């Protein structure tokens, strides 16, 4: 049976425990949590932290989950299915969330784990302080991703962090530098379309020179939500600051904010807490294409769009991104929550195109001037539950220490696009990224 909940910590208790944990295992950056202006991602301190604890051949991987809302609960369900079906030798031994009702609900799921005692925490640093936990899945809001991931690595844990990898580029640079310092840790970013096999075929074809120079690609993530995107998350009137919710802890790295039940339940709609369509949806589609192209960092991004239908949402309901890669390639990315007809996913080359609209196929179509030189191909590809496969990929890496599929390097590239596109949407103009200095400027 699960242990009973600990009392909800006060703001003072939370910060005191965070400071104590930082002292105990050098959780760099805790002092920044209440700052109104974050230091640059190139300036924030990073340390190696504790080494990862080896896992015995027949030993279960012991997992902690930080964030038990919609995504976190979905991952818990997935892990429990793996365990019940005997696909993976894993135990979920700890959960952490600042919201007691969500934590209660998630802990109830763990009753299905026979023979495993799980503990609930309102303070994530208590979960990270446990020596017996090998790996941590992070499904907190975007503004917490970097802090949770960095602190988990410093505590000796492998990490799965939901997409987008971070809220902004500064956080992404801090996370990348922290992983580099840790060296022995595995970090998986939750962009599940990285597991699509047609993307691997596309990458192979491009590397073999089958399409010549890849000059232009397009992709999208579009859906139509008449009631307003993310409004389907219930605003529970019982979840207010106090025993049920440590609101100051939820705000965390952003510093104290006025409480709003809609913000808590639907934070993706608000620009302080999320990049909306760009980070929450488009990274799914962009990241695999970036991987297939293997062109290095995006260097210039411009974005347009607006609030065309969902006037209440602060983030945009329609966006169109133009992404340039060092003068070698241009990517067009569309996103919408008010129309579901997206762009066909295509990678265009000088000699041939790759069509990827169907996950079960990778089609190579020669350009007319090269039809006598290049044979068309229609490659049948595997399909499946990509999110489940991404979790499996992470667990395989945690056990074997072999590289994982959705890496922090790819996460950093998609965060360059997210950060520059968000600046362009809110501040106008095009924005440039210098891969040498890792800095951003307006074009």
């Amino acid at each position: 049976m699960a242990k009973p909940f600990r009392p909800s910590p006060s703001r003072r208790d939370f910060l005191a425990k965070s400071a104590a944990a930082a002292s105990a295992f050098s959780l760099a950056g805790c002092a920044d949590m209440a700052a109104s202006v974050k230091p640059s991602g190139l300036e924030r301190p990073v340390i190696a932290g504790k080494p990862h604890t080896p896992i015995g051949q027949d030993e279960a991987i012991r997992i902690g989950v930080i964030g038990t809302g919609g995504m976190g609960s979905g991952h818990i369900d997935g892990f429990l299915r793996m365990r019940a079906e005997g696909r993976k030798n894993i135990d979920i031994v700890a959960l952490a969330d600042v919201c007691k009702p969500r934590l209660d609900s998630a802990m109830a799921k763990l009753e299905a784990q026979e023979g495993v005692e799980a503990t609930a925490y309102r303070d994530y640093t208590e979960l990270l302080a446990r020596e017996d936990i090998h790996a941590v899945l992070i499904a907190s809001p975007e503004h917490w991703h970097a802090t949770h991931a960095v602190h988990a690595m410093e505590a000796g844990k492998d990490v799965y962090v939901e997409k987008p990898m971070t809220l902004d580029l500064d956080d992404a640079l801090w996370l990348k530098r922290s992983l580099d310092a840790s060296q022995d840790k595995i970090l998986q970013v939750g962009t599940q379309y990285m597991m699509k096999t047609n993307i691997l075929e596309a990458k192979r074809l491009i590397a073999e020179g089958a399409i010549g120079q890849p000059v232009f690609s397009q992709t999208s993530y579009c859906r139509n939500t008449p009631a307003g995107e993310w409004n389907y998350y219930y605003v529970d009137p019982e979840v207010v600051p106090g025993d049920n919710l440590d609101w100051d802890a939820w705000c965390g790295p952003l510093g104290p904010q006025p409480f709003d039940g809609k913000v808590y339940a639907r934070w993706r709609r608000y620009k302080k807490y999320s990049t909306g369509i760009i980070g929450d949806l488009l990274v799914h589609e962009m990241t695999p294409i970036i991987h297939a192209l293997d062109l290095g960092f995006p260097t210039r991004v411009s974005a347009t769009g607006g609030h065309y239908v969902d006037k209440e949402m602060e983030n945009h309901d329609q966006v169109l991104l133009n992404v340039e890669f060092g003068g070698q390639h241009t990517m067009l990315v569309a996103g919408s929550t008010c129309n579901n007809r997206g762009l066909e996913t295509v990678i265009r080359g000088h000699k041939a195109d790759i069509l990827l609209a169907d996950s079960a196929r990778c089609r190579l179509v020669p350009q007319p001037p090269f039809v006598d030189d290049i044979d068309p191909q229609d490659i049948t590809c595997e399909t499946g539950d990509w999110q489940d496969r991404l979790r499996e990929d992470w667990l395989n890496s945690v056990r074997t220490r072999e590289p994982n599929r959705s890496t922090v390097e790819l996460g950093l590239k998609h965060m360059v696009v997210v950060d520059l596109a968000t600046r362009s949407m809110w501040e106008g103009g095009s924005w440039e990224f210098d891969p040498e200095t890792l800095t951003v400027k307006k074009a």
Side-chain angles (χ1 to χ4, degrees), residues 269 271 304-319 338 425-426:
R269 293 175 60 83
K271 68 177 182 177
T304 59
H307 303 88
Y308 297 154
V309 176
D310 190 354
K311 305 292 186 179
E312 183 186 358
M313 181 163 67
E314 186 176 19
N315 280 323
H316 306 88
D317 63 359
Q318 182 74 46
V319 298
C338 53
M425 289 296 300
W426 289 109

Side-chain angles (χ1 to χ4, degrees), residues 189-209:
V189 183
T191 43
Q192 61 258 33
Y193 290 176
M194 280 298 299
M195 299 304 295
K196 287 186 174 183
T197 53
N198 66 348
I199 288 296
L200 299 183
E201 292 293 344
K203 184 176 179 63
R204 177 185 62 80
L205 291 170
I206 293 169
E208 292 174 354

